Amino acid sequence: LFGTEHDLARAISKGDAKAQSTLYESYSPKMLSICLRYMGDIMEAEDVMIEGFMRIFDKINQFNFTGSFEGWMRRIMVNEALMRLRGKKMINVELEEVRQESSNAVSVESNMQAEELLKIVNDLPVGYRTVFNLYAIEGYSHAEIAEQLQISEGTSKSQLSRARALLQERVKVMEKDHLRKTK
């Protein structure tokens, strides 16, 4: 109906209600999963997602049509989640520099379900989860994370390192549980 995502964005910028509805129906599942990664609670995530869509519709004229419209929307959703977390003072970051960041990513060599892994990430403390999502999933640099969360780069690295360590520990426990169940 609208062709490309840029056609959809143009229609929304002209106030087309059908385009807004199409955008919401097409992208709300993806955007909700992004919000859920940060909020950890479905009701909070839904609130953030709705606020994010309202901001998208309000700021559509700021989209410059050169990059991915979905990428632009994702950044808005992440920013909405971060603003909500900041507003609730839920980001409890440690104020210490990391001595040495572990560069080992969480390795999962079992047949664990993606849902189980998502649950492990969602169960991380809010600060760890937020930095992990921004770095590992959204692809932000530590400098960008530090600026967004108003923390130092060292704190961002420390939070990521601790998140990875906790994830590795929890994945090992989960793998042992899976092995016990399959025997």
Side-chain angles (χ1 to χ4, degrees):
L1 178 67
F2 290 101
T4 68
E5 61 180 19
H6 284 188
D7 294 335
L8 186 59
R10 282 186 191 89
I12 291 168
S13 70
K14 294 175 183 167
D16 185 329
K18 178 70 176 154
Q20 289 179 339
S21 178
T22 299
L23 180 77
Y24 184 83
E25 290 169 14
S26 300
Y27 288 96
S28 62
K30 267 186 195 174
M31 298 302 134
L32 180 60
S33 71
I34 290 167
C35 296
L36 191 56
R37 279 199 308 261
Y38 290 91
M39 304 315 297
D41 173 76
I42 189 70
M43 298 297 279
E44 286 274 341
E46 286 173 347
D47 285 349
V48 169
M49 179 191 69
I50 290 167
E51 290 293 322
F53 274 108
M54 289 170 55
R55 185 163 314 276
I56 288 165
F57 299 145
D58 188 46
K59 304 289 185 190
I60 191 70
N61 292 324
Q62 293 179 6
F63 178 63
N64 61 19
F65 295 95
T66 56
S68 161
F69 184 49
E70 182 178 342
W72 182 77
M73 289 189 303
R74 287 174 64 97
R75 281 190 297 282
I76 288 174
M77 292 295 169
V78 168
N79 287 335
E80 282 297 311
L82 294 176
M83 285 190 322
R84 175 72 61 99
L85 289 170
R86 249 186 249 124
K88 291 179 129 304
K89 296 181 181 2
M90 290 175 64
I91 299 176
N92 182 21
V93 293
E94 306 280 333
L95 295 177
E96 64 182 62
E97 297 292 319
V98 65
R99 290 186 183 145
Q100 182 178 8
E101 181 193 353
S102 163
S103 62
N104 301 330
V106 175
S107 65
V108 181
E109 297 181 15
S110 68
N111 293 328
M112 276 192 261
Q113 299 294 328
E115 293 168 9
E116 292 174 298
L117 293 173
L118 247 171
K119 181 175 176 1
I120 292 174
V121 172
N122 284 338
D123 288 343
L124 287 172
V126 176
Y128 294 3
R129 181 177 67 228
T130 303
V131 172
F132 180 82
N133 283 328
L134 287 170
Y135 186 86
I137 298 173
E138 303 298 335
Y140 286 94
S141 70
H142 286 294
E144 292 167 322
I145 294 168
E147 184 179 319
Q148 288 240 355
L149 300 181
Q150 299 167 352
I151 59 176
S152 71
E153 281 186 56
T155 299
S156 175
K157 290 176 182 179
S158 174
Q159 294 287 303
L160 178 63
S161 178
R162 290 173 182 182
R164 285 177 170 164
L166 257 178
L167 286 171
Q168 288 171 340
E169 183 181 305
R170 291 177 181 176
V171 165
K172 284 178 186 175
V173 168
M174 189 178 281
E175 286 175 334
K176 286 179 185 175
D177 288 346
H178 276 279
L179 285 175
R180 265 185 289 207
K181 289 177 185 176
T182 58
K183 287 186 179 178

